Amino acid sequence: MSNDLFAAVDPPAPPPRRRKVAARPLADRMRPSRLDEVVGQDHLLREDGPLTVMLGRNRLGSLVLWGPPGSGKTTLARLIAGHVGAHMIALSAVMAGVADLRKAFEQARQMGRDGKAPVLFIDEIHRFNRAQQDGLLHEVEDGTVTLIGATTENPSFSLNAALVSRCQVLVLNRLDDAALGALVERAEGAIGHALPLDEGARARLLEAADGDGRYLLNLVEILADLPVEPVLDAQALGQVLQRRMPVYDKAQESHYNLISALHKSVRGSDPDASLYWLNRMLEGGEDPRYLARRLVRMASEDIGLADPTALPAAIAAAEAYERLGTPEGELALAQCVVHLASAPKSNALYTAFKAARQSAREHGSLMPPAHILNAPTGLMRDLGYGAGYRYDHSEDEAFSGQNYFPDGMEREAFYRPTGRGAEAELKARLDHWAKLRAERAAEEG
């Protein structure tokens, strides 16, 4: 029998498989194609808005679009360029270097020679270092490109002043609930059905987006594949969606904005708002030790001697955190925040300190008056050191009323306590001493 009967036979080759192309993300598919489809930026696009006025003249100047993530900066840049018939060259400052900029400029020059208007769009432009930003100036100045930069950071801090001066800064708003709700409705139209959410869950969905339209559409895409039943409430939705960290950068503007909000809420005697901003920073990953240091500062700057227990309370909270760590120690910080916000307020100590320091700088090296200098040697006694000093504990009311400022310097009143909290008693005491000082100076005069 022929061995050929038992020879392995290769199966017929399957037909070539068609590569499955991944569907574009919903957020990309739903990018507005017209300016009137942009949501949440009516202050720029209304009839008298700065962008509408600029585009109405059909003359586009260089722009910096400053706004939070997901507010539509990239989309708006594309629509602006399209509206004026310009050709857009897009770069990301995260990835691009000097070679990419040179290539973009050469491309723009060629477009100019061909009669086309080039727009150079740079996303995350604040990521460029100072030298790279300076490298943009000449081409922007001579009209080689019209620059549109997008940034999430305050241009005053993150961009060179020379570059900012050549651009109009347009501020994009964080998307409010109305704008986010409009996006959800559009997305439901795009996917062909309503999301299985009750009213509370819809509100929770908008809250979870935290003003970020792109993130909202990503959440909608996750929910789009859920069955129409059961309809989810807010609690069930929370189990489906992962929790999002608040937008917060410990090294950038949001850090300073939030600590300012906390400090001013404490100063404004609002313990509820103070607790809110404390937790916003903690939830964003702020170092509790930094918060503890700032609380110590608030105790001295905004409360001072109106509540002498404020500073010890702040120091105790900082020490408690060092001993307990997170999360137990954070409760001590919260206790301190409520204490400081609820305390009587006075900046009299802070004001006195600044005024006294300024006076010390102005008066230089004036010597103390001789009568309050110690005289451990005969020579110093011969020079008058200590002569005429009156020991306050031996005087009536333990108060001599002598002068302790340098000779030749007028007496100044730096510390002016308020009538709030414990400073009311201090004020009465200092007023009494001022009266005694004046009486005894008159007797000696």
Side-chain angles (χ1 to χ4, degrees):
M1 185 179 290
S2 171
N3 290 332
D4 289 344
L5 295 175
F6 300 95
V9 178
D10 292 332
R17 299 178 63 183
R18 297 180 65 184
R19 179 176 296 176
K20 186 177 181 180
V21 179
R24 289 164 57 206
L26 180 63
D28 188 48
R29 284 183 278 141
M30 289 191 57
R31 281 188 186 276
S33 57
R34 304 191 312 270
L35 284 168
D36 60 8
E37 294 177 350
V38 174
V39 299
Q41 310 305 334
D42 294 344
H43 63 295
L44 300 178
L45 296 168
R46 65 193 180 202
E47 186 175 351
D48 60 344
L51 194 50
T52 301
V53 172
M54 177 188 292
L55 296 178
R57 297 171 181 162
N58 206 36
R59 294 182 60 186
L60 179 62
S62 291
L63 303 171
V64 172
L65 305 179
W66 171 29
S71 56
K73 297 183 292 296
T74 302
T75 295
L76 194 56
R78 293 181 184 278
L79 294 177
I80 291 170
H83 187 87
V84 297
H87 294 257
M88 194 164 88
I89 305 167
L91 294 177
S92 170
V94 176
M95 304 295 293
V98 174
D100 299 291
L101 276 177
R102 289 174 179 164
K103 183 178 178 180
F105 291 147
E106 183 53 42
Q107 187 179 351
R109 292 187 187 97
Q110 184 59 51
M111 286 182 178
R113 290 190 287 267
D114 294 341
K116 300 174 182 177
V119 166
L120 176 60
F121 172 67
I122 302 179
D123 196 17
E124 305 289 342
I125 191 171
H126 61 277
R127 300 280 188 177
F128 272 166
N129 60 36
R130 296 289 172 176
Q132 288 171 310
Q133 292 180 31
D134 284 340
L136 296 168
L137 296 176
H138 181 266
E139 277 68 19
V140 171
E141 188 73 30
D142 68 7
T144 299
V145 294
T146 298
L147 174 67
I148 301 181
T151 177
T152 56
E153 301 296 335
N154 189 330
S156 300
F157 306 132
S158 61
L159 300 182
N160 289 2
L163 183 59
V164 173
S165 71
R166 289 163 173 79
C167 301
Q168 180 176 356
V169 177
L170 299 180
V171 181
L172 277 70
N173 291 336
R174 174 183 182 273
L175 299 189
D176 59 19
D177 284 352
L180 294 173
L183 283 183
V184 172
E185 291 179 4
R186 287 187 194 175
E188 289 176 324
I191 63 179
H193 62 83
L195 298 175
L197 307 175
D198 68 12
E199 185 176 345
R202 281 180 173 270
R204 180 67 186 90
L205 177 64
L206 304 188
E207 181 184 329
D210 198 19
D212 186 331
R214 181 174 51 248
Y215 184 72
L216 173 69
L217 293 176
N218 290 341
L219 296 180
V220 170
E221 194 161 24
I222 293 171
L223 300 172
D225 294 330
L226 293 177
V228 294
E229 296 288 345
V231 173
L232 304 181
D233 60 15
Q235 183 176 0
L237 177 66
Q239 295 172 352
V240 173
L241 301 178
Q242 291 185 347
R243 175 178 172 275
R244 188 187 192 201
M245 293 296 289
V247 176
Y248 185 75
D249 188 333
K250 291 186 287 183
Q252 301 296 337
E253 191 192 12
S254 57
H255 163 83
Y256 298 105
N257 287 345
L258 267 61
I259 192 58
S260 176
L262 173 59
H263 195 148
K264 290 180 173 64
S265 297
V266 168
R267 180 183 295 153
S269 301
D270 190 333
D272 298 311
S274 301
L275 281 173
Y276 172 79
W277 294 116
L278 172 71
N279 281 286
R280 273 286 299 274
M281 297 188 80
L282 290 173
E283 287 293 298
E286 182 58 74
D287 184 354
R289 294 176 180 83
Y290 167 78
L291 292 168
R293 291 195 299 273
R294 288 302 298 253
L295 292 175
V296 170
R297 167 74 180 197
M298 294 175 206
S300 293
E301 179 177 339
D302 293 294
I303 299 167
L305 294 171
D307 179 359
T309 69
L311 181 57
I315 294 173
E319 292 179 351
Y321 180 81
E322 290 296 336
R323 291 193 181 192
L324 298 176
T326 296
E328 291 86 351
E330 293 172 0
L331 185 59
L333 300 182
Q335 178 179 337
C336 180
V337 161
V338 173
H339 182 141
L340 301 186
S342 304
K345 302 299 186 297
S346 170
N347 72 340
L349 178 66
Y350 177 57
T351 302
F353 176 76
K354 291 195 299 180
R357 171 163 283 189
Q358 181 61 31
S359 181
R361 289 170 178 158
E362 291 173 355
H363 289 92
S365 303
L366 292 178
M367 284 287 291
H371 66 269
I372 63 172
L373 299 178
N374 291 331
T377 69
L379 173 62
M380 297 171 76
R381 286 191 294 274
D382 292 342
L383 292 174
Y385 282 32
Y389 174 67
R390 292 159 59 184
Y391 186 57
D392 286 84
H393 292 290
S394 301
E395 301 288 330
D396 290 342
E397 300 193 47
F399 181 80
S400 68
Q402 283 195 294
N403 176 52
Y404 300 103
F405 278 90
D407 291 333
M409 176 180 170
E410 293 293 328
R411 176 177 183 80
E412 296 191 47
F414 301 120
Y415 180 52
R416 300 176 183 273
T418 68
R420 296 184 290 275
E423 277 196 329
E425 183 180 346
L426 283 176
K427 185 176 186 305
R429 190 181 307 149
L430 292 179
D431 288 346
H432 178 63
W433 285 339
K435 181 181 177 182
L436 290 179
R437 186 179 293 112
E439 290 173 353
R440 293 176 187 180
E443 291 172 0
E444 294 175 0

